[in-house]
C-alpha cells in the first residue's frame, strides 16, 4: 500500500482505515465480545475455533445492526466507492482496479439486512477454510443486543 503515495487521497484513506481498524480492534468492546471464556458455547464451531470466527461474527453482527437501523446506507456507500474508482482508475494498477470491481460486484453490506443473511455469511466464511457451521451452532450464538443491551443508546 505504501506504493500509493502518488495518489495522496487514496493513500490517506488507506492509512485512515488502518488507524480506525486498529482503534476498534483494541477497544474494550471488541475485546469483551471476542472473548471465548464467557460468551461462546464450546460446542459451537465459533467457540472451538477461536478468535478468527469470533472476530468475523462480531463484525458481521455490527454490519447487520448498522444496516438494519439505517445507520449506514449500503447503496450510498457502494456508489461513492464506485465514483472514487472511476476517478482514480487511470492512476491505479489494473490488478487493483479488477479487485475493486470484483468486490463492488458482490455488495455484501446489502446482504446484511436480515439475520439469516448474517448466518449464511458466517457459514460461507467457515466453508472457505474447510469448516462447517451448523444451524445448531448458529442457534447457540447470542444476539449482539443480548451481549450489549445498550448498543442502541451508545
Amino acid at each position: 500500500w505504501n506504493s500509493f503515495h502518488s495518489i495522496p487521497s487514496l493513500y490517506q484513506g488507506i492509512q485512515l482505515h488502518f488507524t480506525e481498524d486498529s482503534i476498534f480492534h483494541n477497544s474494550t468492546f471488541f475485546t469483551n465480545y471476542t472473548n471465548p471464556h464467557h460468551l461462546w458455547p464450546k460446542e459451537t464451531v465459533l467457540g472451538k475455533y477461536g478468535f478468527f470466527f469470533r472476530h468475523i461474527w462480531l463484525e458481521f453482527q455490527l454490519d447487520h445492526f448498522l444496516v438494519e437501523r439505517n445507520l449506514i446506507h449500503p447503496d450510498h456507500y457502494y456508489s461513492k466507492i464506485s465514483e472514487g474508482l472511476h476517478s482514480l482508475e487511470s492512476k491505479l494498477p489494473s490488478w487493483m482496479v479488477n479487485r475493486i470491481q470484483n468486490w463492488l460486484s458482490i455488495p455484501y453490506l446489502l446482504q446484511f439486512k436480515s439475520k439469516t443473511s448474517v448466518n449464511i455469511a458466517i457459514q460461507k466464511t467457515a466453508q472457505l477454510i474447510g469448516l462447517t457451521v451448523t444451524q445448531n451452532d448458529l442457534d447457540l450464538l447470542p444476539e449482539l443486543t443480548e451481549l450489549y443491551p445498550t448498543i442502541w443508546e451508545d
Side-chain angles (χ1 to χ4, degrees):
W1 295 111
N2 290 331
S3 65
F4 295 109
H5 285 286
S6 62
I7 310 171
S9 59
L10 178 62
Y11 183 76
Q12 289 167 356
I14 291 168
Q15 292 303 314
L16 178 62
H17 173 81
F18 287 156
T19 299
E20 290 179 353
D21 216 32
S22 176
I23 291 167
F24 172 68
H25 288 122
N26 288 299
S27 71
T28 302
F29 174 84
F30 183 83
T31 302
N32 286 345
Y33 298 110
T34 56
N35 182 340
H37 303 296
H38 64 289
L39 300 173
W40 303 96
K42 288 186 187 218
E43 61 272 19
T44 68
V45 169
L46 292 169
K48 291 177 191 173
Y49 291 96
F51 174 78
F52 173 75
F53 275 113
R54 293 186 300 272
H55 175 179
I56 296 298
W57 174 87
L58 181 60
E59 292 202 7
F60 287 173
Q61 286 285 322
L62 287 170
D63 288 343
H64 169 64
F65 179 85
L66 295 170
V67 170
E68 180 183 60
R69 286 166 176 77
N70 290 314
L71 297 173
I72 58 173
H73 304 281
D75 291 324
H76 179 72
Y77 172 77
Y78 289 110
S79 171
K80 287 296 187 186
I81 291 173
S82 185
E83 287 173 21
L85 176 61
H86 182 69
S87 69
L88 293 173
E89 197 165 358
S90 64
K91 299 176 184 176
L92 296 174
S94 61
W95 67 265
M96 182 175 236
V97 171
N98 291 336
R99 288 185 83 175
I100 295 169
Q101 287 172 336
N102 286 341
W103 182 80
L104 285 169
S105 73
I106 308 169
Y108 288 106
L109 283 178
L110 293 174
Q111 298 173 24
F112 289 146
K113 290 183 178 180
S114 75
K115 175 80 165 60
T116 301
S117 297
V118 173
N119 287 346
I120 291 169
I122 290 169
Q123 289 173 317
K124 286 183 177 181
T125 301
Q127 288 172 354
L128 289 173
I129 59 170
L131 297 173
T132 301
V133 175
T134 67
Q135 187 59 49
N136 184 52
D137 291 329
L138 295 168
D139 291 343
L140 291 170
L141 296 174
E143 294 286 330
L144 187 60
T145 51
E146 291 173 36
L147 299 179
Y148 196 68
T150 61
I151 193 168
W152 182 243
E153 291 83 25
D154 294 346

